[in-house]
Amino acid sequence: MNISLDRLQQAWQSQCSKPLDVNPDQLLNGIRLERRMYFWTDVSISTLILGAGFYTLWSAFQDIQQDWPWLIYVASVAWVAGFLLFDRWRRRGDAAHYDEPLLAHVEGAIKQLEHQKWLSGNTLWWYVLPIAVGCMIPPVLLFARDYGKRPLFDSLIPLLLIEVALAATFVLGFLVMKYQRRSGIEKRNREIQELRALRETLLNTDE
Amino acid sequence: MGIANHELQFRQWLGEHTGLLVKVVRSFAEGPADQDDLFQEVLLQVWLSMPNFRDDSKPTTWLYRVALNTALAWKRSEKKRRHRQSLPSISDVAAPDVSSAEAERNDRLVNQLYAAIRALEPAKRALVVLFMDGFTYREIAEVMGISESNVGVSLNRIKKELATAVKEDEDEHLSR
């Protein structure tokens, strides 16, 4: 039996549905909870970073001549916080909006995912390494400053222990983050692939 | 748009255009649980996107954009099944009319059509939904963000695919 498109359209348009009455508050409960969680996570991390930064800065300024190496740590924390804020500011207009035309939405989503992937792939350079440098260099500089004032082994052994412990912590932390993020990157790669296929279909370039 | 107007508009649109949202949901999700999940996601995105609505576009065109973008994002997302019990389910609004033999036949045809649409690639599904609802090529191009000629070329191919798929199903039904 041959069905014309007109017949299909007629059947399609004959579908009926009941009007819906939804209280937006019901809809928003879930999302409010999610946003509150993100907000408080952001606030906690920022407070921790800023608190640590200000405390170190304050300690360093108590005796700037003596404790200046700790300013390197402050600079590294400021670098990470600054990078986070700058990145958010730079990408503020890139979020894909749901009321855009489909092609624009797909392109926005691809850009967003590629950026997230780039960030995940560069955790070492943007986050781990600056903090590691900021934490590991001041003890060495303090050791160098006090060199000769105390018996060598009294200051060298603690320095080595601190440096080894810090290095191990950062390497381990980096490996854990890398492992956790690998699955995230794989998921994003899949999504990007799907979005690219979608864009190709939209643009008809598969012909 | 103030909060009170925002809510008024939202409720008015849901009163008038729920059918449109149901069509998108049924074209992209199969089975009650997934359909409810997508339906709730669409309602949420409509509400969240409403402050961006400008009067220069028709509510139906705008709602289609939001619903289709949400459906496409939902399709590739792994964060599915966040079904919220307190929210409306698709069975609350999708009401098949089976009051006559003709209506029953339409309903059967529509179910086959949904199955055929869900077998298409996601972008093609969006095109078909708009076409079936009687949108012109220009309007479809506006929703999709592609050229009218592109819409024409794609639809010509899809129409054939669709007619064949539904015809085969119909033949199968008759042979039973």
Side-chain angles (χ1 to χ4, degrees), chain B:
Chain B
M1 199 189 288
I3 291 288
N5 282 347
H6 189 151
E7 187 167 338
L8 197 71
Q9 177 102 80
F10 181 69
R11 289 191 149 157
Q12 189 190 336
W13 281 355
L14 288 191
E16 291 168 6
H17 307 297
T18 319
L20 170 165
L21 306 179
V22 171
K23 285 172 191 169
V24 173
V25 168
R26 291 185 68 190
S27 301
F28 280 82
E30 195 177 0
D34 276 353
Q35 286 180 349
D36 283 349
D37 187 50
L38 177 55
F39 186 54
Q40 292 173 3
E41 203 61 42
V42 169
L43 291 178
L44 188 65
Q45 286 307 334
V46 168
W47 171 260
L48 293 175
S49 304
M50 276 186 78
N52 302 333
F53 176 74
R54 301 281 168 267
D55 287 331
D56 54 357
S57 56
K58 284 199 295 185
T60 45
T61 312
W62 187 86
L63 283 168
Y64 257 124
R65 272 190 192 158
V66 176
L68 289 170
N69 276 325
T70 310
L72 289 171
W74 177 88
K75 184 87 186 60
R76 58 175 193 275
S77 159
E78 286 173 14
K79 281 193 292 179
K80 291 179 188 171
R81 307 268 176 161
R82 288 182 299 169
H83 183 57
R84 293 154 279 236
Q85 293 292 336
S86 57
L87 290 178
S89 146
I90 199 146
S91 56
D92 298 337
V93 285
D97 175 14
V98 286
S99 56
S100 65
E102 177 61 16
E104 200 177 328
R105 195 163 176 280
N106 273 349
D107 186 51
R108 212 170 47 232
L109 204 57
V110 163
N111 285 335
Q112 289 172 11
L113 195 52
Y114 275 122
I117 292 173
R118 284 195 297 266
L120 295 170
E121 287 172 47
K124 291 180 178 175
R125 293 181 206 178
L127 273 172
V128 173
V129 172
L130 294 166
F131 170 75
M132 282 295 166
D133 243 2
F135 274 51
T136 62
Y137 282 12
R138 196 182 58 76
E139 287 170 324
I140 297 176
E142 200 188 313
V143 173
M144 306 282 288
I146 56 178
S147 68
E148 273 181 64
S149 58
N150 207 332
V151 171
V153 173
S154 303
L155 269 177
N156 279 338
R157 241 177 303 125
I158 302 167
K159 280 178 201 170
K160 283 177 204 155
E161 267 180 66
L162 215 56
T164 316
V166 179
K167 188 186 77 178
E168 279 167 2
D169 283 345
E170 186 79 342
D171 287 345
E172 195 182 307
H173 176 78
L174 288 174
S175 67
R176 275 184 206 150

Side-chain angles (χ1 to χ4, degrees), chain A residues 82-101:
Chain A
F83 175 74
L84 276 170
L85 293 174
F86 173 71
D87 186 62
R88 282 192 189 188
W89 172 79
R90 201 165 58 99
R91 315 290 306 181
R92 71 196 182 285
D94 289 354
H97 297 291
Y98 281 86
D99 57 342
E100 287 176 322

Side-chain angles (χ1 to χ4, degrees), chain A residues 138-158:
Chain A
V140 177
L141 291 176
L142 289 172
F143 168 77
R145 188 194 60 188
D146 296 339
Y147 183 72
K149 290 181 189 167
R150 282 190 288 173
L152 185 63
F153 283 102
D154 282 1
S155 47
L156 186 62
I157 300 291

